[in-house]
Amino acid sequence: MQTQTVTIFRTRKQTAPANPPGAARRWSVGEIAELLKLPFADLLYRAQQIHREHFDPNAVQLSTLLSVKSGGCSEDCGFCPQSAFHSAGVENQAMLRLETVVQAARAAQQEGAGRFCMGAAWREPSDAELASVAEMVRSVRDLGMETCVTLGMLREEHVAQLRAAGLDYYNHNLDTAPEFYGEIITTRDYQDRLDTLERVRRAGINICSGGIVGMGETLEQRAGLIAQLANLDPYPESVPINNLVKVEGTPLGDAPDLDPLDFVRTIAVARITMPGARVRLSAGRQQMSDTVQALCFLAGANSMFYGERLLTTGNPDVEHDRALLDKLGMYPFTEKT
Ligand code: SAM
Ligand code: DTB
Ligand code: SF4
């Protein structure tokens, strides 16, 4: 048997698998619901087989998040502590200075992150805000990191400016199934999200789009979210699967817990339906045991948020994550050359 020496946090470079020709395959919600209902061992076996056909199963992509503008958002997303409609105790914070952002990115890089993701609590950026973020993208890129931003809805010219700044990924989540969306968000439509994703795709920027589970959705609605993502043509390069972080003061602050095995199932089905995507084990890891996280990796997750904070809530500390990856014989990789 071949043995592998694990050099933790020496990030390796790998070539991204292109979305396979099968990317244009359409999935029905019913087919995905059937996958979610498979016997657990059958589902994980299938996901693991597909994972191994497309990726090194021991390599994990690490993204560090920074909230560059927090709180006071004009959207009413029921899960979000940053919405001005809720009282979750998040202080409104003006946009961070460029130097502060670059310092945080450099620190994340030194800790072993390959991608730096900057988030802003906006419905959509103004021209001036977009110009400032584009500067941040240029500077982080100059460090040799992959860049990702999540700023809300984008107009055509804003997409072009981000492209010119060299942005690698735009994060814009569909969050849930179209049928459940109106119960969670009323200040925008599902189609608004799809329109922004289409503009980003047309500009040639990689798409990072996923959703949140554990918001009280049914299994069919969870299948509906995965179907929407998998049927994007091509499907997103990165797919963050968030487990709801229940924040007091938000409408979903006391939502019932999702069975952790149903979270693992969602990861497995994302892997099966989007075989060449980086499936990210995202928000909610701090509330998750190492065992459940290990099952997520077995189910095909090959990316995670790394660093002690998400945007406004906590994430496992880096020592804990290094020890976890070490225990599992996993190591970070980046596609940046
Ligand atoms: N305002 C922009 C937008 O909504 O696209 C960007 C920032 S927003 C905070 C980015 C994503 O964070 C949301 O789409 C949602 O998926 C995720 N998110 C926010 N609050 C969350 C929570 N409590 N638990 C899990 N994910 C959450
Ligand atoms: C994503 O899918 N999850 C991240 C990132 N993309 C921007 C955000 C999670 C936010 C969790 C709640 C918070 O920390 O405010
Ligand atoms: Fe605003 Fe984004 Fe939070 Fe919705 S998820 S309230 S758009 S910051």
Side-chain angles (χ1 to χ4, degrees), residues 65 69 73 75 77-82 118-124 149-153 170-175 185 188 193 210-213 215 240-247 250 252 282-284 310-313:
L65 279 166
K69 191 270 161 195
C73 183
E75 302 268 26
C77 312
F79 46 79
C80 186
Q82 304 202 67
M118 295 160 269
W122 292 323
R123 172 178 163 82
E124 60 200 330
V149 296
T150 181
L151 315 171
M153 294 185 263
Y170 192 72
N171 168 248
H172 200 61
N173 291 338
L174 291 180
D175 282 324
I185 301 157
R188 61 168 184 259
R193 292 307 252 194
I212 311 179
V213 295
M215 298 196 292
I241 304 292
N242 296 276
N243 199 10
L244 174 70
V245 178
K246 297 177 209 176
V247 183
T250 64
L252 290 171
S282 303
L310 293 166
L311 292 174
T312 65
T313 65

Side-chain angles (χ1 to χ4, degrees), residues 275-295:
R278 258 61 58 195
V279 174
R280 183 172 309 124
L281 174 49
S282 303
R285 282 202 308 115
Q286 202 173 41
Q287 294 75 22
M288 222 175 263
S289 69
D290 284 359
T291 313
V292 169
Q293 293 185 60
L295 282 173

Side-chain angles (χ1 to χ4, degrees), residues 240-319:
I241 304 292
N242 296 276
N243 199 10
L244 174 70
V245 178
K246 297 177 209 176
V247 183
E248 212 184 308
T250 64
L252 290 171
D254 57 3
D257 280 339
L258 180 74
D259 185 324
L261 294 181
D262 286 332
F263 185 81
V264 178
R265 284 175 180 277
T266 309
I267 297 268
V269 173
R271 168 54 62 222
I272 292 167
T273 55
M274 294 171 273
R278 258 61 58 195
V279 174
R280 183 172 309 124
L281 174 49
S282 303
R285 282 202 308 115
Q286 202 173 41
Q287 294 75 22
M288 222 175 263
S289 69
D290 284 359
T291 313
V292 169
Q293 293 185 60
L295 282 173
C296 289
F297 292 126
L298 192 64
N302 60 355
S303 167
M304 66 184 200
F305 285 126
Y306 172 70
E308 65 193 21
R309 285 195 83 66
L310 293 166
L311 292 174
T312 65
T313 65
N315 199 42
D317 59 42
V318 297
E319 288 74 22

